[in-house]
Amino acid sequence: MLAAECAWAILRAEHVRTRELLDCLREAMKAGGEASVRQRATSAIEIIERLRAFEENTHRPKGVVMLNILRGRSREADELLEQLDAESECCNGLISQATLLLERARSGDPDAAGQAGALLRQHRQFMSTHLDKEDTLLHSQTALLLTAEEWATVVSSISKEVGAARKREHRRLSVRG
């Protein structure tokens, strides 16, 4: 099914982008030498904002239709979706806590930076596992349970999201230019 392959190619490419942002975040937290705790915290917060914006505005909207179609198809799929939802909530909580600690570090609290680093390592681990499950288990469930017509609906919704993102980017660049 070409539609399924197209949808998953886009979703997996976005997973690569998420992993790249997680790598940037890890590097920002490891920066040494000239970078002060405040500078590292500021860099990390900027990357977290980019990661959150990417997830909320670009990646998640593309999966909404697919996940809604999948819900209720099988006990196994529903359990997986519940697990993925719980993992997403956990990741959101960890990144929110880390951001608060990074704000404290940016204000001069060096202990907060270390605590934020520990939370971000935990977040990275959870997020990596979550993305792997989407790429394998969720992919398998959608391949088993979605019809060609449903995949066409999914791809159409992804296409609309891509178009909307292009318009947002064009407006953003127009405002800056």
Side-chain angles (χ1 to χ4, degrees), residues 17-164:
R17 179 64 182 140
T18 298
R19 286 181 177 99
E20 289 170 352
L21 288 167
L22 291 171
D23 288 344
C24 289
L25 184 54
R26 183 185 63 214
E27 293 304 312
M29 291 300 294
K30 287 188 340 185
E34 299 290 318
S36 70
V37 170
R38 288 181 174 153
Q39 290 171 321
R40 285 194 304 271
T42 297
S43 294
I45 290 169
E46 290 171 0
I47 296 165
I48 288 169
E49 289 170 357
R50 288 185 4 227
L51 176 62
R52 281 181 160 166
F54 178 76
E55 286 293 313
E56 292 171 15
N57 301 325
T58 302
H59 183 59
R60 281 192 195 123
K62 289 187 181 86
V64 169
V65 170
M66 180 180 71
L67 298 177
N68 287 341
I69 291 172
L70 186 60
R71 287 188 201 282
R73 293 295 178 90
S74 75
R75 182 184 53 77
E76 188 175 308
D78 287 344
E79 287 173 0
L80 175 61
L81 293 175
E82 285 177 24
Q83 184 180 36
L84 291 172
D85 287 343
E87 289 171 1
S88 288
E89 286 301 314
C90 181
C91 286
N92 290 338
L94 289 168
I95 203 91
S96 293
Q97 290 174 28
T99 301
L100 292 173
L101 288 165
L102 288 167
E103 290 290 351
R104 284 182 30 206
R106 190 160 60 175
S107 297
D109 181 349
D111 294 334
Q115 294 168 7
L119 289 174
L120 290 172
R121 284 188 295 278
Q122 191 176 4
H123 170 267
R124 179 185 175 79
Q125 182 180 6
F126 274 113
M127 191 68 163
S128 295
T129 300
H130 179 84
L131 294 172
D132 289 344
K133 286 179 185 176
E134 285 188 5
D135 286 343
T136 57
L137 302 175
L138 184 59
H139 179 260
S140 295
Q141 288 297 307
T142 59
L144 287 171
L145 299 171
L146 272 63
T147 66
E149 294 79 23
E150 290 166 333
W151 277 115
T153 300
V154 169
V155 170
S156 177
S157 72
I158 289 174
S159 178
K160 287 177 187 172
E161 287 299 327
V162 169

